[in-house]
Amino acid sequence: MTVARRDTPRPPNSWGMGDGQAIPWEYAPAPESREVVKLRERYGLFIGGRWVSASDGETFQTIDPSTEEPLAEVARGTAADMDRAVRAARAAFRRRWGDLPGRERAKYLFRIARILQERSREFAVLESMDSGKPIRESRDVDVPLAAAHFWYYAGWADKLDYAFPGRVARPLGVAGQIIPWNFPLLMLAWKIAPAVAAGNTVVLKPASTTPLTALLFADVCQQADLPPGVVNIVPGPGDVGMALVRNPGVDKIAFTGSTEIGRRIAAGVAGSDKALTLELGGKAANIVFDDAPLDQAVEGIVNGIYFNQGEVCCAGSRLLVQESVAEALIGKLKDRLATIRVGDPLDKNTDVGAINSRAQLEKITELVAAGVAEGAELYQPACDLPDRGYFFRPTLFTNVAQSHRIAREEIFGPVLSVLTFRTPEEAVEKANNTPYGLSAGIWTDKGSRILAMVRRMKAGVVWANTFNRFDPTSPFGGYKESGYGREGGRHGLHAYVRLEDR
Ligand code: NDP
C-alpha cells in the first residue's frame, strides 16, 4: 500500500518521474462569494404554483457537506402531499397544458432557459453549497448544461410532428420524477425539460441531501409565469418517492439513482399501465490501448473518475490499460494525481470537493478498505484534507483482480481501479464483465479500432478519446442493470409521448 505523504523528501528533479511526488503549485485561495445566494430559513413544498407546508408540518434539515453546517429547513413531504401534487399536476394538464400549441409551450421553456442563464451564478453557488461539488463544475458544467436542456427541448416543443414522422405524438399526462443528489439541477433539467416540452405536467422529488436548487427552480417557474401545477416539487424521504410511484394518478415514472431502488420502483410500477424509464448505476471501463496519446488519456482518465468526486453513474471507474504501456501510464497518472486539489467546493481552484453525505463517505471508505483487504495496492497522493466536512483523497488501486469488490461494485467516489489486458479480445471481455452497462471509454490512435470496439461494448454511451462529455442532443441511458429508456436528444422525447397513427 502506498500513501504519498507531504513530509516525503523529494529530489528537486522529481517532476514527472511517475512517483507521484510532482511538486504541487501553491495557489492563493480564490473563494466564490456566497452573497449571491439568499437562503431562506425555511422552504415549503411547491404545489399548484404555491408554497405550502407539509401536511403534517414536518421539516428536515439540509446541510453543507463541506462544513457540516445546516443550510436551511425544508418541508418534508408526505404521501398525502404527493397526492395533492399529483392532483395539481392533473388539473394543470387538463386545464390547458396538454392541449396548448407546442409553440406556446416553447415560449415558457425558452423563458426558463434564459432565466437559468441570467441566474446562473446563484444556481452554481447554491448547488456547490448543498451538494459539495466544486464551483468550477457547477458553474461550467451543471448549470450551463441544465439551461442547454431547456433551450434544446424548447426547440422541439412545436416540432413533434418532425420528431416522429407520420405519427401523432400525444403527451402521456402526469410524470412522476425522482432524482438523485449527484447532479441535482442537471437531473431536474434532464427530466422536466422533455416532459413539459411534450405537453406533460410533472411532480418531481429531489434527493433529501440536495433539495435546494430544485426549490430555487420553483422560483424560476414562478418568474417565468409557468401555469400553476405544470411543475410541482415535493422534497421528502424515499417512502414519499414510493408514494409517487404507486399513485394511480401518475402516467409515467422516470427515476435516476441506485440499481437497488430502481428494482423496487420497477416492482412498484409492475401491473399498472405506467410508462417507466430507469437510469441506474454503472461500472464503466475506460480502455487505453498502447497506441493512445498517453498524456491526453491521463486527462481523460482523471476527468472520467475524479470529476464530481467520482459521484457519477457513468464514471470511468475501471481503467483497463494495455500491458505494454501500463507502467508508463500509471506513472503519469500518479504525477497528475499529485496536482489535484481537494478542498472547499467554493474555491475556484478546487478540483475535488466534498463527498455528498456522511453515509456516502462511509460507503466509499468501506469499499476502499475492502480493496486493501482483498490485496489490491492503494495509492493516494499527498494532500491535506480540510478538518471538517466529508472529504476523501483521490485514490488509485493497482494490482486489481476482476473478482475484487472494487472492480465489481459501484463505489460512487474518487476511486479508480486499474486492470491490464494484452489483446483487444481480452479488453472487450473484461469491459463487459459487469452487470452494468451504462458507459465506456476507448483511447486509441486508430479510427478503425474505435469503430470495432464500439460495436462490441455493451454500454449505452461509448466515448472515444474523451470521457464524460454530455450534450442535450445526445441520448444517454443504459443496458442490463444500468436501466432502460433514454434521456436526451429526440430519444428523450419519446419517453414522454404516446404515438398514434394519423
Ligand atoms: P437512491 O437510489 O436511494 O436515491 C435516489 C433517489 O431515490 C433519491 O431521491 C431518493 O430519496 C429516492 N429514493 C430512495 N428510496 C426510494 C424508494 N424506496 N422509492 C422511491 N424513491 C426512493 O441513492 P442513494 O442516495 O441512497 O445512494 C446509494 C447509492 O446509489 C450510491 O452510493 C450510488 O452507488 C448509487 N447512486 C447512483 C446514482 C446514479 O445516478 N446512478 C445516483 C445516486 C446514487 P432520498 O434522497 O430521500 O433517499
Side-chain angles (χ1 to χ4, degrees):
M1 163 165 135
T2 321
V3 181
R5 296 171 53 84
R6 275 249 182 266
D7 52 10
T8 311
R10 300 180 190 123
N13 63 347
S14 67
W15 175 265
M17 298 296 283
D19 57 1
Q21 299 298 306
I23 298 164
W25 295 95
E26 291 304 332
Y27 280 72
E32 177 70 61
S33 168
R34 294 175 173 230
E35 292 300 302
V36 66
V37 171
K38 302 277 173 273
L39 272 178
R40 298 184 205 169
E41 242 169 70
R42 208 167 254 243
Y43 289 84
L45 314 171
F46 186 67
I47 297 179
R50 293 175 45 232
W51 293 102
V52 297
S53 302
S55 60
D56 59 5
E58 291 293 317
T59 60
F60 68 96
Q61 227 172 35
T62 182
I63 64 157
D64 178 338
S66 69
T67 59
E68 301 172 56
E69 297 285 342
L71 289 172
E73 290 283 325
V74 177
R76 187 179 190 275
T78 62
D81 294 318
M82 270 304 175
D83 196 48
R84 194 168 155 198
V86 170
R87 279 188 278 115
R90 174 66 57 196
F93 179 71
R94 288 216 183 104
R95 211 179 297 129
R96 228 165 134 230
W97 190 256
D99 298 325
L100 204 63
R103 65 177 182 280
E104 296 301 321
R105 290 198 303 272
K107 287 180 192 168
Y108 290 101
L109 277 101
F110 279 128
R111 225 179 268 168
I112 289 171
R114 206 185 57 237
I115 296 170
L116 281 176
Q117 287 183 323
E118 283 165 2
R119 298 176 67 175
S120 60
R121 193 151 158 250
E122 183 185 358
F123 269 99
V125 173
L126 185 61
E127 194 74 308
S128 285
M129 286 165 68
D130 205 20
S131 73
K133 67 173 66 206
I135 186 72
R136 264 188 325 119
E137 290 176 6
S138 47
R139 183 194 63 196
D140 299 345
V141 181
D142 296 57
V143 178
L145 268 178
H149 269 80
F150 281 95
W151 287 119
Y152 175 72
Y153 282 110
W156 272 122
D158 63 346
K159 299 177 194 68
L160 296 180
D161 287 350
Y162 300 95
F164 308 104
R167 314 294 303 276
V168 181
R170 305 239 182 257
L172 296 173
V174 176
Q177 307 180 321
I178 301 174
I179 57 171
W181 41 260
N182 52 344
F183 292 92
L185 181 71
L186 185 56
M187 288 302 104
L188 172 151
W190 279 29
K191 300 269 181 288
I192 292 183
V196 300
N200 303 275
T201 55
V202 307
V203 177
L204 178 128
K205 191 198 94 61
S208 294
T209 55
T210 52
L212 293 184
T213 45
L215 295 167
L216 190 60
F217 181 81
D219 201 43
V220 169
C221 293
Q222 284 183 321
Q223 197 183 338
D225 268 335
L226 192 71
V230 172
V231 169
N232 304 274
I233 312 246
V234 183
D239 58 339
V240 173
M242 193 46 88
L244 178 61
V245 170
R246 293 191 191 280
N247 192 300
V250 169
D251 301 292
K252 190 231 154 71
I253 291 291
F255 171 77
T256 298
S258 62
T259 296
E260 184 201 334
I261 300 297
R263 271 197 204 102
R264 283 195 229 167
I265 288 177
V269 163
S272 74
D273 59 359
K274 287 176 189 142
L276 176 65
T277 42
L278 296 173
E279 200 264 275
L280 310 176
K283 192 74 191 172
N286 204 359
I287 307 170
V288 181
F289 285 96
D290 57 4
D291 61 346
L294 292 192
D295 290 316
Q296 269 170 258
V298 164
E299 290 311 307
I301 294 160
V302 166
N303 179 41
I305 185 63
Y306 303 116
F307 169 66
N308 203 40
Q309 298 72 243
E311 296 166 326
V312 183
C313 47
C314 52
S317 51
R318 286 183 302 147
L319 176 63
L320 302 188
V321 197
Q322 196 148 19
E323 213 170 78
S324 49
V325 292
E327 201 184 326
L329 185 76
I330 292 165
K332 284 174 183 284
L333 251 180
K334 286 182 177 174
D335 282 339
R336 181 66 177 84
L337 252 64
T339 68
I340 289 180
R341 283 178 299 274
V342 183
D344 179 5
L346 283 181
D347 190 314
K348 286 171 242 170
N349 292 323
T350 293
D351 299 307
V352 172
I355 301 299
N356 183 255
S357 64
R358 182 181 294 281
Q360 189 59 25
L361 180 63
E362 283 167 3
K363 178 181 169 188
I364 297 167
T365 309
E366 194 254 318
L367 274 161
V368 166
V372 173
E374 287 185 316
E377 189 167 323
L378 175 137
Y379 174 82
Q380 291 174 325
C383 64
D384 302 321
L385 299 186
D387 300 332
R388 286 184 314 163
Y390 312 135
F391 290 92
F392 200 85
R393 285 194 175 81
T395 299
L396 176 76
F397 273 112
T398 48
N399 207 17
V400 179
Q402 295 234 73
S403 57
H404 288 167
R405 284 181 68 198
I406 52 169
R408 288 186 290 115
E409 295 181 28
E410 183 178 50
I411 301 176
F412 229 63
V415 183
L416 180 65
S417 299
V418 186
L419 298 106
T420 57
F421 65 91
R422 287 187 183 166
T423 63
E425 284 64 37
E426 191 186 347
V428 170
E429 201 151 306
K430 283 185 166 163
N432 289 337
N433 182 14
T434 163
Y436 296 112
L438 195 53
S439 63
I442 297 162
W443 296 83
T444 172
D445 201 28
K446 292 191 185 66
S448 55
R449 179 175 276 165
I450 291 172
L451 295 176
M453 288 294 290
V454 166
R455 272 198 297 274
R456 300 171 74 188
M457 288 291 104
K458 292 209 168 53
V461 179
V462 185
W463 286 289
N465 292 329
T466 186
F467 209 93
N468 271 345
R469 295 271 166 209
F470 305 99
D471 191 292
T473 64
S474 175
F476 184 92
Y479 280 89
K480 302 193 283 184
E481 292 195 10
S482 292
Y484 43 80
R486 293 290 177 266
E487 292 182 304
R490 196 168 55 85
H491 304 67
L493 276 177
H494 194 260
Y496 288 97
V497 295
R498 191 162 31 87
L499 295 179
E500 294 174 356
D501 291 332
R502 280 191 184 280

